[in-house]
């Protein structure tokens, strides 16, 4: 397929838009409504085509042998639309507001055998097209394929040469748009000789109807063709079921743990009082459990710079995820606006870089780190470097196959500029504030110079078992919602159930914190004080379970195939698991730190 040239005006238009985004409080996804008068032209943009089962494998519509204007004029696109693979261009369809059209000729075409074969291959791969009318996407299949019988076997392929457009309006606004081929007979592409040309006449009809629905969102919820509305009841029941199980789990862990902890504190404090009048020896003699390691439990871990970088980037993604969900709950994303969430995510990532720098540098200075410049570099590279490497591979595959998902050079330069002029400087500024505001580490117990020997641990207290338990339980809390998210991200539906997503996100963080506290207590009870990295890995391993689920989803729950879609799916699924590792590892660590400080503050010691 021939790759069309991309419009060169994007970078010039995006730079001032970026400045406005950063300085004017722009709400992503909120756009002005277009008002029409009777007879006003309504522009229909052709966008992209691609295999139905490979949502991220898309190509420009004009790469197929279809009706095309002599000079292709592209629409100015937003950053989110380009990231979404949109490449909108003006079409030959003439549509006027509230004016019906009956079988108007679009164009006449003479296709050679190579062009016919290109169409046949597209139809066999279930290619769909996407047009856009007033920011409303309308989709349909390029052609028709019929397989029938075993003996004799028949294989029929036809091209849709007539499209019926149905548009609904309320007052002077377009509310709904759709395309149909219900009463149309496909044009057969079978039986063409190699030296024969195929003559085609493309036509279209336009039908307008008035609706009482005033908002597009209301029309979408009433549309029986939607994916989420049809399964909303089952979705709620599944989420409620998960919430009940999670609350029972959290309550069980909290009650059991508090009772055991209360008994430990009472026993340890009683033992201290009875032995204080006897000998002046250290109370380590004849004692066991988490009390005996009080002089080692706050011993700083190895690779403290990397640990602080993980905590900083994890805190940043916690803020980013919370911000995206809250903005969605406030209605700041228009589900009909292409790429609104993509634009908001890039903007929030750049602005929240100050959080990663502050948290990382602040904690790094608290635990005695001196190379704070290296710590800032490590923090800013911990996610950006893996993301850049993954994106380079994915983008190269798209570029080699001529997909519209390959970003133009102007977009790449723009994103790099955002990171260099906003993200990185904010990380440095946050790091400076964090370093200057850091106070000494608040440890309730003094740490000895010589580390205590750790006794042999049973197999069920190993790091692998803790990672398995700590990762599986939070994953089980989001497994139901994860299917809907995957079906949305790797499909074409718009996710609108942000209230459910908010509850699931809160449950995920709560379960992660509780499980981390429980596992840390069991680890300290075995006189193993190496909890720093263990707390990060135990619940952070949820990211590994999410990646394993993505493998299951690809193999069992989807029909995706081909190198382009496979590389994109597993590349970004791996990054998603990595982000969850950073987020949940951060929640797990600070929950364990808070818990350990609490139990040792309440312990009577000399």
């Amino acid at each position: 397929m021939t790759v069309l040239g991309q419009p060169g005006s994007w970078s010039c238009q995006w730079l001032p838009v970026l400045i406005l985004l950063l300085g004017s409080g722009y709400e992503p996804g909120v756009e002005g409504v277009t008002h029409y008068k009777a007879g006003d032209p309504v522009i229909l943009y052709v966008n992209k085509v691609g295999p139905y089962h490979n949502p991220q494998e898309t190509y420009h519509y004009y790469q197929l042998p279809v009706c095309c204007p002599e000079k292709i004029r592209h629409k100015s696109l937003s950053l989110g639309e380009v990231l979404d693979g949109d490449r909108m261009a003006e079409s030959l369809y003439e549509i006027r507001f509230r004016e019906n059209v009956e079988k108007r000729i679009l164009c006449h075409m003479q296709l050679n055998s190579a062009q016919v074969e290109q169409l046949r291959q597209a139809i066999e791969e279930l290619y769909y097209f996407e047009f856009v009318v007033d920011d409303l996407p309308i989709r349909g299949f390029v052609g028709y394929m019929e397989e029938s019988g075993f003996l004799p076997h028949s294989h029929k392929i036809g091209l849709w040469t007539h499209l019926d457009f149905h548009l609904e309006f309320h007052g002077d606004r377009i509310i709904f748009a759709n395309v149909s081929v219900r009463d149309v007979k496909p044009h057969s592409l079978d039986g063409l000789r190699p030296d024969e040309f195929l003559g085609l006449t493309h036509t279209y009809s336009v039908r307008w109807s008035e609706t009482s629905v005033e908002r597009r969102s209301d029309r979408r919820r009433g549309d029986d063709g939607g994916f989420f509305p049809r399964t909303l009841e089952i979705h709620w029941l599944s989420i409620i079921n998960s919430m009940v199980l999670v609350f029972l789990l959290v309550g069980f862990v909290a009650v059991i743990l508090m009772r055991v902890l209360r008994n430990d504190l009472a026993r340890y404090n009683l033992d201290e009082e009875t032995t204080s009048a006897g000998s002046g020896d250290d109370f380590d003699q004849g004692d066991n459990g988490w009390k005996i390691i009080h002089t080692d439990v706050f011993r700083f871990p190895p690779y403290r710079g990397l640990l602080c970088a993980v905590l900083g980037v994890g805190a940043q993604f916690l803020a980013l995820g919370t911000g995206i969900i809250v903005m969605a709950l406030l209605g700041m994303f228009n589900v009909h606006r292409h790429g609104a969430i993509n634009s908001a995510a890039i903007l929030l990532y750049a602005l929240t870089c100050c959080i990663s720098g502050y948290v990382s540098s602040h904690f790094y200075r608290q635990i005695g780190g001196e190379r704070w410049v290296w710590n800032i570099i490590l923090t800013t590279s911990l996610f950006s470097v893996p993301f850049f490497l993954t994106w380079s591979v994915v983008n190269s595959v798209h570029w080699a196959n001529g997909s519209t998902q390959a970003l133009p050079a102007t977009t790449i330069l723009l994103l790099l500029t955002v990171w260099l002029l906003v993200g990185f400087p904010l990380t440095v500024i946050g790091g400076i504030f964090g370093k200057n505001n850091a106070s000494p580490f608040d440890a309730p117990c003094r740490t000895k110079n010589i580390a205590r020997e750790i006794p042999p641990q049973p197999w069920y207290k190993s790091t692998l078992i803790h990672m398995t338990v700590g990762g599986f339980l939070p994953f089980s809390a989001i497994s139901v919602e994860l299917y809907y998210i995957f079906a949305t991200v790797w499909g074409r539906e718009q996710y609108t159930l942000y209230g459910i997503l908010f509850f699931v996100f809160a449950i995920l963080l709560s379960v992660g914190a509780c499980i981390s506290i429980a596992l840390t207590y069991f680890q300290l009870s075995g006189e193993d004080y190496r909890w720093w990295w263990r707390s990060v890995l135990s619940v952070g391993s949820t990211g590994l379970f999410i990646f394993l689920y993505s493998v299951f989803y690809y193999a069992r729950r989807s029909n995706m195939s081909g190198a382009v879609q496979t590389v994109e799916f597993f590349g970004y699924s791996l990054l998603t698991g990595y982000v969850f590792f950073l987020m949940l590892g951060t929640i797990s660590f600070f929950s364990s730190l808070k818990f350990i400080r609490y139990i040792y503050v309440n312990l009577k010691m000399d």
Side-chain angles (χ1 to χ4, degrees):
M1 293 182 176
T2 303
V3 182
L4 296 177
Q6 304 299 337
S9 60
W10 287 342
S11 60
C12 299
Q13 295 171 351
W14 286 352
L15 198 53
V17 170
L18 174 62
I19 297 174
L20 290 175
L21 282 174
L22 297 177
S24 63
Y26 172 76
E27 296 181 354
V30 179
E31 56 177 332
V33 179
T34 303
H35 298 273
Y36 298 93
K37 296 180 180 179
D40 283 352
V42 177
I43 300 177
L44 184 147
Y45 294 98
V46 298
N47 192 9
K48 52 192 176 183
V49 294
Y52 178 78
H53 297 298
N54 293 350
Q56 276 67 43
E57 182 182 351
T58 55
Y59 307 95
H60 199 289
Y61 179 76
Y62 286 143
Q63 291 179 235
L64 290 178
V66 293
C67 296
C68 176
E70 294 182 0
K71 182 180 180 181
I72 299 176
R73 291 184 293 183
H74 288 86
K75 179 187 177 184
S76 298
L77 302 178
S78 67
L79 175 60
E81 290 171 333
V82 175
L83 294 176
D84 202 37
D86 291 343
R87 301 295 185 268
M88 300 183 200
E90 294 184 6
S91 67
L92 295 175
Y93 294 97
E94 296 181 3
I95 301 177
R96 294 188 175 275
F97 189 65
R98 301 179 63 172
E99 290 187 3
N100 293 334
V101 173
E102 278 297 333
K103 209 164 186 178
R104 177 181 293 172
I105 296 178
L106 183 67
C107 74
H108 300 282
M109 299 188 68
Q110 290 289 328
L111 303 183
N112 57 35
S113 58
Q115 292 173 320
V116 172
E117 183 59 31
Q118 184 180 1
L119 285 174
R120 286 177 56 89
Q121 182 179 357
I123 295 172
E124 288 179 340
E125 295 179 7
L126 297 180
Y127 267 45
Y128 73 99
F129 62 83
E130 179 179 285
F131 297 161
V132 178
V133 176
D134 196 24
D135 283 325
L136 292 172
I138 53 179
R139 304 180 180 96
F141 285 102
V142 173
Y144 170 82
M145 181 176 64
E146 179 182 348
E147 298 272 358
S148 62
F150 180 71
L151 287 176
H153 174 70
S154 63
H155 181 74
K156 299 179 180 179
I157 294 179
L159 175 70
W160 300 118
T161 57
H162 178 83
L163 297 179
D164 284 322
F165 295 100
H166 175 215
L167 298 99
E168 296 181 5
F169 66 94
H170 180 86
D172 57 356
R173 294 174 290 115
I174 300 177
I175 302 299
F176 177 76
N178 192 21
V179 63
S180 172
V181 290
R182 181 175 301 174
D183 299 324
V184 180
K185 183 178 180 181
H187 194 289
S188 177
L189 300 181
D190 299 320
L192 188 69
R193 296 191 302 270
D195 56 345
E196 187 179 356
F197 284 84
L198 178 64
L200 296 176
T201 300
H202 288 271
T203 58
Y204 67 98
S205 300
V206 180
R207 294 182 177 86
W208 293 87
S209 60
E210 189 169 7
T211 177
S212 59
V213 178
E214 297 183 4
R215 296 185 303 176
R216 294 178 176 181
S217 57
D218 294 338
R219 176 62 178 84
R220 185 178 180 84
R221 283 194 291 268
D223 183 11
D224 294 334
F227 173 73
F228 285 105
R230 190 169 54 243
T231 57
L232 184 59
E233 182 179 357
I234 301 176
H235 194 187
W236 270 111
L237 292 176
S238 301
I239 293 300
I240 292 173
N241 181 53
S242 296
M243 290 175 63
V244 170
L245 293 177
V246 167
F247 286 145
L248 290 176
L249 172 64
V250 173
F252 174 78
V253 171
V255 171
I256 296 299
L257 198 57
M258 291 307 296
R259 292 192 61 179
V260 172
L261 188 59
R262 187 182 299 111
N263 293 335
D264 285 350
L265 286 172
R267 177 167 57 87
Y268 288 158
N269 291 332
L270 180 62
D271 291 345
E272 177 64 17
E273 293 175 357
T274 56
T275 58
S276 60
S279 66
D281 296 339
D282 188 82
F283 59 80
D284 288 358
Q285 297 179 358
D287 206 349
N288 55 44
W290 53 267
K291 177 183 178 182
I292 199 173
I293 59 173
H294 71 282
T295 57
D296 295 282
V297 72
F298 292 104
R299 187 179 303 280
F300 297 146
Y303 310 109
R304 64 185 71 177
L306 179 60
L307 175 64
C308 294
V310 169
L311 299 179
V313 180
Q316 177 187 0
F317 276 106
L318 282 171
L320 174 62
T322 304
I324 290 290
I325 296 176
V326 170
M327 290 172 66
L329 285 173
L330 295 177
M332 298 176 67
F333 296 134
N334 187 335
V335 297
H336 302 287
R337 182 69 173 176
H338 292 210
I341 293 184
N342 293 338
S343 301
I346 292 175
L347 176 63
L348 286 181
Y349 175 79
L351 295 179
T352 54
C353 282
C354 59
I355 298 178
S356 64
Y358 181 88
V359 173
S360 177
S361 182
H362 184 269
F363 195 73
Y364 183 68
R365 178 54 65 93
Q366 278 192 327
I367 62 177
E370 298 295 337
R371 304 171 60 190
W372 74 274
V373 175
W374 167 249
N375 173 252
I376 291 297
I377 296 175
L378 183 60
T379 301
T380 195
S381 304
L382 195 65
F383 175 76
S384 59
V385 171
F387 175 80
F388 177 78
L389 294 177
T390 304
W391 170 84
S392 298
V393 174
V394 173
N395 198 68
S396 298
V397 173
H398 281 297
W399 177 80
N401 288 271
S403 172
T404 59
Q405 297 287 336
L407 297 184
T410 51
T411 309
I412 298 173
L413 291 176
L414 175 65
L415 296 178
L416 184 61
T417 302
V418 171
W419 186 80
L420 290 176
L421 298 183
V422 181
F424 183 72
L426 286 180
T427 306
V428 176
I429 293 173
I432 294 175
F433 276 97
K435 176 180 70 72
N436 294 336
N437 294 333
S439 57
F441 186 76
D442 182 19
C445 310
R446 295 188 301 270
T447 301
K448 288 184 177 181
N449 294 329
I450 301 176
R452 181 185 183 88
E453 183 179 356
I454 300 174
Q457 301 293 312
W459 64 271
Y460 54 84
K461 290 188 177 182
S462 63
T463 302
L464 181 61
I465 298 300
H466 277 207
M467 290 178 63
T468 303
V469 175
F472 177 76
L473 292 178
F475 169 77
S476 64
I478 63 172
S479 58
V480 174
E481 190 69 15
L482 205 59
Y483 168 78
Y484 290 93
I485 295 175
F486 269 68
T488 301
V489 173
W490 304 108
R492 300 175 192 87
E493 293 295 332
Q494 297 289 344
Y495 193 94
T496 57
L497 303 177
Y498 298 110
I500 296 179
L501 186 62
F502 177 79
F503 281 114
V504 172
F505 187 66
I507 289 174
L508 174 66
L509 301 184
S510 302
V511 172
C514 291
I515 295 302
S516 173
I517 291 173
L519 294 177
T520 299
Y521 171 78
F522 294 139
Q523 180 183 358
L524 298 181
S525 298
E527 303 177 16
D528 186 356
Y529 51 82
R530 300 169 300 183
W531 63 272
W532 300 75
W533 276 108
R534 178 77 69 85
S535 63
V536 174
L537 295 175
S538 59
V539 179
S541 62
T542 305
L544 177 60
F545 281 90
I546 291 176
F547 178 74
L548 293 178
Y549 177 82
S550 70
V551 177
F552 167 79
Y553 180 87
Y554 181 88
R556 295 293 186 180
R557 293 291 182 266
S558 74
N559 295 308
M560 293 182 283
S561 61
V564 175
Q565 184 67 35
T566 302
V567 170
E568 166 131 352
F569 179 85
F570 285 107
Y572 289 124
S573 294
L574 191 61
L575 274 181
T576 302
Y578 180 53
V579 168
F580 272 90
F581 165 77
L582 295 173
M583 285 197 307
L584 297 179
T586 300
I587 286 290
S588 176
F589 175 84
F590 284 113
S591 300
S592 296
L593 178 61
K594 187 73 174 178
F595 168 74
I596 292 173
R597 279 177 171 164
Y598 171 78
I599 64 175
Y600 282 99
V601 162
N602 288 276
L603 186 64
K604 296 180 180 179
M605 293 175 294
D606 291 339

